[in-house]
Amino acid sequence: MKQALTVKNVMKKNREIFAFKDDWLKSFGMPERSGSWLIWGESGSGKTSFAMQLVKYLAQFPEIYRVAYNSLEEGNSQSIKMAIERVGMIDVADKFWLLDMEPIEELKVRIQRKRSPQVLVIESVQYMGLKYPEYVKLRSEFPDKLFIFISHADGRNPQGRTAKAIRFDAFVKIRIEGYAAFVVSRYRDGRDKPFVIWPEGAELYHGQTILI
């Protein structure tokens, strides 16, 4: 049986966090550098653009050795290339890997190596082929990694049983609609501010108040 923790034990623990700033801080707070996040939205809503913006931002933190984007759905396609170009990923080229449809078992082998990516984006839950117990096992095998899963949507909800279960487990839940990210984060107090992915598109879809 594990020892029960006192308030002093909890407060003294040194947690590894991302020191987010500006709009990222307003939407996400300061999240831990491990665990599970979920991004979901309809096709054409801005999911991939947001995921690439997030990848670039996380890669800029000096504590992060590398971020990997496992493109199970789109592979090394023209649309992925365009998304990479749009966000200027060249600025963090030495810290970014695109994995071209890498099966989960191969991904596990990769991230067991020394100096492997600390952040792994998996696109998508539907193409991943894992059941929820397998997802739980993946997380438990690599407790120091941050897994960011991308999911298709069914209306305003993630699509499918596994994605819905991941949403309840995830520490950061990000619904994409109309080029804006609506974030529910365990690292924020109070109401979270939407993160605008593309100002012109978001204003056209939601109105000017989304930008305030």
Side-chain angles (χ1 to χ4, degrees):
M1 181 182 296
K2 288 186 177 180
Q3 181 181 359
L5 301 176
T6 66
V7 171
K8 186 176 180 180
N9 295 147
V10 173
M11 300 307 291
K12 282 182 67 177
K13 181 179 177 181
N14 184 27
R15 293 173 172 82
E16 296 183 336
I17 64 168
F18 287 110
F20 279 11
K21 296 180 180 179
D22 304 322
D23 288 342
W24 293 98
L25 176 62
K26 293 174 185 176
S27 295
F28 291 83
M30 290 193 181
E32 290 184 83
R33 300 203 305 262
S34 60
S36 174
W37 299 11
L38 181 68
I39 302 167
W40 74 93
E42 297 283 358
S43 178
S45 61
K47 283 197 310 295
T48 302
S49 292
F50 170 75
M52 290 297 179
Q53 287 181 30
L54 177 62
V55 163
K56 182 181 178 182
Y57 187 65
L58 296 179
Q60 293 177 54
F61 284 88
E63 305 90 349
I64 296 301
Y65 170 66
R66 182 167 282 120
V67 181
Y69 187 104
N70 192 8
S71 184
L72 290 166
E73 186 168 338
E74 296 188 64
N76 184 15
S77 62
Q78 176 66 10
S79 61
I80 287 291
K81 177 187 174 184
M82 290 169 64
I84 288 172
E85 289 176 336
R86 255 194 319 270
V87 302
M89 199 72 79
I90 192 68
D91 297 339
V92 293
D94 59 332
K95 297 177 73 174
F96 172 76
W97 277 349
L98 177 69
L99 307 181
D100 187 3
M101 299 185 178
E102 184 161 284
I104 292 299
E105 290 307 317
E106 291 182 19
L107 180 68
K108 285 184 179 182
V109 173
R110 181 185 296 279
I111 60 181
Q112 287 171 353
R113 299 170 181 166
K114 290 183 179 179
R115 295 179 68 78
S116 62
Q118 296 107 316
V119 180
L120 299 116
V121 180
I122 297 175
E123 176 231 16
S124 61
V125 172
Q126 287 71 30
Y127 276 68
M128 178 177 62
L130 290 183
K131 303 298 183 183
Y132 185 69
E134 295 169 316
Y135 154 83
V136 173
K137 184 179 178 184
L138 177 67
R139 276 205 56 200
S140 65
E141 286 177 347
F142 303 98
D144 297 329
K145 303 292 186 183
L146 174 59
F147 292 95
I148 302 174
F149 297 92
I150 301 175
S151 172
H152 299 171
D154 182 8
R156 291 195 163 195
N157 297 308
Q159 184 186 85
R161 183 176 298 177
T162 300
K164 288 176 181 176
I166 292 173
R167 177 180 61 176
F168 286 106
D169 183 64
F171 277 45
V172 179
K173 314 158 205 300
I174 307 158
R175 179 176 62 83
I176 308 297
E177 182 179 350
Y179 306 105
F182 297 87
V183 183
V184 176
S185 171
R186 298 185 188 182
Y187 307 104
R188 286 269 305 152
D189 293 325
R191 187 172 180 177
D192 301 322
K193 183 183 183 300
F195 182 91
V196 175
I197 302 164
W198 176 37
E200 291 83 358
E203 182 181 359
L204 186 64
Y205 187 96
H206 298 281
Q208 193 172 16
T209 55
I210 196 76
L211 305 178
I212 299 173

